[in-house]
Amino acid sequence: MAASQRAVYWLGKDTLRVSAALFGENRRRLVKALKATEGVQAKAIVLLQGGEQTQRYCTDTDLLFRQESFFHWAFGVTEADCYGAILVPSGRSLLFVPKLPDCYATWMGEIHPREHFKEKYDVDEVHYTCDIADVLAKQNPSHLLTLRGVNTDSGSTCREASFEGISQFTVNNTLLHPVIVDCRLLKTDMELEVLRYTNRISSEAHKEVMKHVRPGQKEYEMESLFQHYCYSRGGMRHVSYTCICGSGHNSSVLHYGHAGAPNDKTISEGDMCLFDMGGEYYCYSSDITCSFPANGKFTPDQKAIYEAVLKSSRAVMAAIKPGVKWADMHRLADRVHLEELVKIGILKGDVEEMLKVHLGSVFMPHGLGHLLGIDVHDVGGYPEGVERIDEPGLKSLRMGRVVQERMVLTVEPGIYFINHLLDQALASPAQRCFIANHALARFRGFGGVRIEDDIAVTADGMELLTCVPRTVQEIEEFMAEARGDPKTFSPSS
């Protein structure tokens, strides 16, 4: 059944319209998969609990709410403190919303009737959360399928649905998680449209940053400009993760931008900038990194390192297709980096021997990329039976699967000059013999280069979702043109 015309998420102007049919299709996919899963009984009901509104520590200051990801995938509900149920035999959807007190209308606005949410989200029934036990009991379920499982990126266990009266039901909390994770792994056509949108807006925001960046500015000014563009032009109230705006030596800090290093350095003449930022629309993410010189012109050393990373990025993209092992794509990037570092003169010797001692991880200690979707590090990287490879670099890879059509992935190779890793390598008899220390010394303090694009895997290759200047020539021409164009986006517009 098609979603009602009112059941559309839209923030006006040129923002994307997202139909509730997206979530209806997700629920149908989940029900179909559960029916094929051993142990799921005929009258099972899926029960998911949405995110809760929380406050800042012990205060009454609300934190900006963002929906729990599994709940969003299934229902697309933006409000806090809800539950959702899916009847496996019929696929019928039940949404449970809080019964709000009269004073809510004074402080927070109109109290909508249940019919409002039925139309808004195109679900079959809407009830109040206080009635959840009675409503579910009338369905006489064989068991409730609740969500409990470990996120393989964070190591945290997702929150299992609970409510007053759940003890009267038979509950299974092991069957649902692997099934819904596998559903989230492969994106539908409608999900891909949202991810194309998040990439388009975020790509344009990165380009605006490239237009405006100048030596003498603070890194946080570029973070602010990116966020302002994403929100004002794309309706993105949230970013997908903490913005990383590293310049100079900070560009070698992989997750720079945290509270202890809050994008607060002054950008200097001659700095390389590594800006890793992604906007989020209706809980769907993007994750893009652009690296470029602050003054718009690459030095010979900057160009050499940048083009080495670009070469590995393009080699990986040319090789990606269904059936390849993601770990092999990481190894391919490592190989290209080492070959190029030999040409630059930083390394010497046989690349095959360098690979045996994991020299690539000295310069790229992180994984090649990760799954992308409702979470920036999306679920499903390591299903049961797939273990991380316990090798430097590869142990940080966030996905161990074979590449499949409809996966959305980041491809983000990088070369970094991280002092403590360089010092460790120079202290290692197995690695230091390959390092030309006199040449390496020139790159101490250089920082790093990362090139990160988002891709969707197709039947015979990949679709590039990100659209920003990538070659040295494209970047230099784009930044030069922007400096002479007064009609660029203004932070005050």
Side-chain angles (χ1 to χ4, degrees):
M1 180 184 295
S4 72
Q5 297 208 339
R6 292 187 61 184
V8 173
Y9 179 88
W10 182 50
L11 293 180
K13 293 193 172 182
D14 295 325
T15 60
L16 184 69
R17 296 174 186 264
V18 182
S19 170
L22 183 156
F23 307 101
E25 182 176 4
N26 285 347
R27 293 192 294 270
R28 287 191 294 274
R29 292 171 62 216
L30 178 60
V31 165
K32 181 179 179 180
L34 285 169
K35 286 180 176 179
T37 300
E38 185 178 355
V40 176
Q41 299 175 24
K43 296 187 69 177
I45 294 179
V46 172
L47 181 66
L48 297 173
Q49 183 172 354
E52 295 181 329
Q53 179 62 64
T54 57
Q55 286 71 44
R56 184 188 298 168
Y57 305 117
C58 62
T59 75
D60 63 352
T61 302
D62 284 347
L63 297 176
L64 180 61
F65 178 73
R66 193 270 196 189
Q67 188 58 266
E68 193 279 328
S69 295
F70 284 104
F71 190 75
H72 180 81
W73 180 88
F75 288 94
V77 171
T78 58
E79 290 84 2
D81 305 313
C82 297
Y83 290 76
I86 306 168
L87 280 55
V88 173
S90 64
R92 286 181 63 81
S93 53
L94 284 64
L95 177 63
F96 297 88
V97 300
K99 191 171 186 178
L100 301 169
D102 290 343
C103 63
Y104 183 97
T106 302
W107 295 96
M108 307 298 283
E110 182 180 357
I111 298 176
H112 296 290
R114 289 179 295 166
E115 187 63 26
H116 165 84
F117 298 101
K118 186 174 185 295
E119 292 183 3
K120 182 178 181 181
Y121 297 116
D122 198 36
V123 292
D124 295 302
E125 301 176 27
V126 175
H127 303 276
Y128 291 121
T129 53
C130 56
D131 298 326
I132 189 168
D134 292 340
V135 172
L136 293 180
K138 289 177 182 177
Q139 300 296 329
N140 192 28
S142 54
H143 55 193
L144 301 182
L145 301 177
T146 57
L147 190 65
R148 183 177 174 81
V150 175
N151 182 297
T152 57
D153 288 307
S154 67
S156 299
T157 301
C158 58
R159 183 183 179 189
E160 184 179 358
S162 182
F163 60 89
E164 188 174 343
I166 195 172
S167 59
Q168 68 184 278
F169 299 91
T170 300
V171 176
N172 182 293
N173 65 4
T174 61
L175 292 171
L176 177 60
H177 187 264
V179 177
I180 196 171
V181 164
D182 277 353
C183 287
R184 281 181 59 182
L185 180 73
L186 305 180
K187 275 53 179 183
T188 65
D189 288 345
M190 285 185 280
E191 287 184 299
L192 288 172
E193 276 303 304
V194 186
L195 290 165
R196 289 186 186 102
Y197 175 79
T198 63
N199 261 265
R200 178 170 64 82
I201 296 297
S202 296
S203 293
E204 289 300 316
H206 271 282
K207 288 162 69 175
E208 291 301 326
V209 169
M210 293 173 70
K211 290 177 182 179
H212 285 86
V213 67
R214 301 286 190 281
Q217 293 174 320
K218 302 295 284 190
E219 294 164 336
Y220 62 72
E221 292 182 81
M222 300 301 99
E223 175 183 17
S224 173
L225 176 57
F226 179 88
Q227 291 179 331
H228 178 51
Y229 187 94
C230 285
Y231 199 1
S232 63
R233 298 297 175 88
M236 296 175 170
R237 196 175 195 184
H238 295 268
V239 287
S240 303
Y241 50 94
T242 301
C243 292
I244 299 168
C245 296
S247 63
H249 61 86
N250 290 338
S251 61
S252 67
V253 182
L254 302 183
H255 284 173
Y256 182 70
H258 57 86
N263 297 324
D264 59 353
K265 173 183 170 293
T266 300
I267 300 169
S268 298
E269 181 70 30
D271 276 355
M272 275 296 289
C273 296
L274 187 158
F275 291 167
D276 184 341
M277 302 180 283
E280 177 184 287
Y281 186 76
Y282 203 13
C283 292
Y284 280 86
S285 302
S286 61
D287 189 356
I288 300 169
T289 305
C290 294
S291 297
F292 49 86
N295 61 12
K297 188 71 176 175
F298 286 84
T299 67
D301 282 347
Q302 289 171 345
K303 180 180 179 180
I305 299 301
Y306 185 89
E307 290 187 334
V309 177
L310 183 62
K311 186 172 183 178
S312 73
S313 172
R314 295 199 163 170
V316 168
M317 288 187 187
I320 286 178
K321 61 182 178 180
V324 302
K325 295 179 180 178
W326 191 234
D328 287 346
M329 296 297 95
H330 178 100
R331 292 186 177 101
L332 173 59
D334 261 352
R335 177 183 293 276
V336 173
H337 290 161
L338 294 173
E339 290 171 348
E340 294 304 304
L341 289 171
V342 169
K343 293 177 186 176
I344 294 167
I346 295 172
L347 299 180
K348 58 186 179 181
D350 186 347
V351 168
E352 295 299 329
E353 295 302 312
M354 295 179 196
L355 289 167
K356 290 178 183 178
V357 298
H358 311 296
L359 192 61
S361 67
V362 174
F363 299 95
M364 187 177 79
H366 60 72
L368 172 66
H370 51 81
L371 293 160
L372 182 78
I374 291 177
D375 290 308
V376 67
H377 296 155
D378 215 20
V379 293
Y382 287 90
E384 187 175 356
V386 177
E387 301 296 329
R388 289 180 185 265
I389 299 171
D390 189 19
E391 296 177 11
L394 280 168
K395 65 184 178 183
S396 298
L397 196 62
R398 296 182 185 275
M399 189 184 80
R401 291 177 182 258
V402 170
V403 172
Q404 299 177 55
E405 183 180 359
R406 292 189 176 274
M407 281 181 171
V408 175
L409 294 158
T410 67
V411 176
E412 49 179 302
I415 292 176
Y416 314 87
F417 297 92
I418 302 171
N419 282 330
H420 83 96
L421 293 182
L422 298 175
D423 293 340
Q424 288 176 9
L426 289 169
S428 164
Q431 293 181 331
R432 68 186 177 207
C433 58
F434 299 110
I435 300 173
N437 196 23
H438 64 285
L440 176 63
R442 194 170 78 245
F443 290 86
R444 295 273 190 169
F446 175 100
V449 168
R450 179 163 63 250
I451 298 174
E452 181 176 16
D453 294 295
D454 301 343
I455 63 143
V457 182
T458 62
D460 57 358
M462 48 136 278
E463 173 191 352
L464 179 61
L465 305 180
T466 305
C467 185
V468 294
R470 280 303 187 207
T471 68
V472 167
Q473 181 178 351
E474 288 170 349
I475 290 169
E476 289 187 343
E477 289 180 354
F478 180 82
M479 294 180 75
E481 181 181 356
R483 280 156 169 73
D485 181 6
K487 296 180 180 179
T488 56
F489 173 80
S490 170
S492 61
S493 67

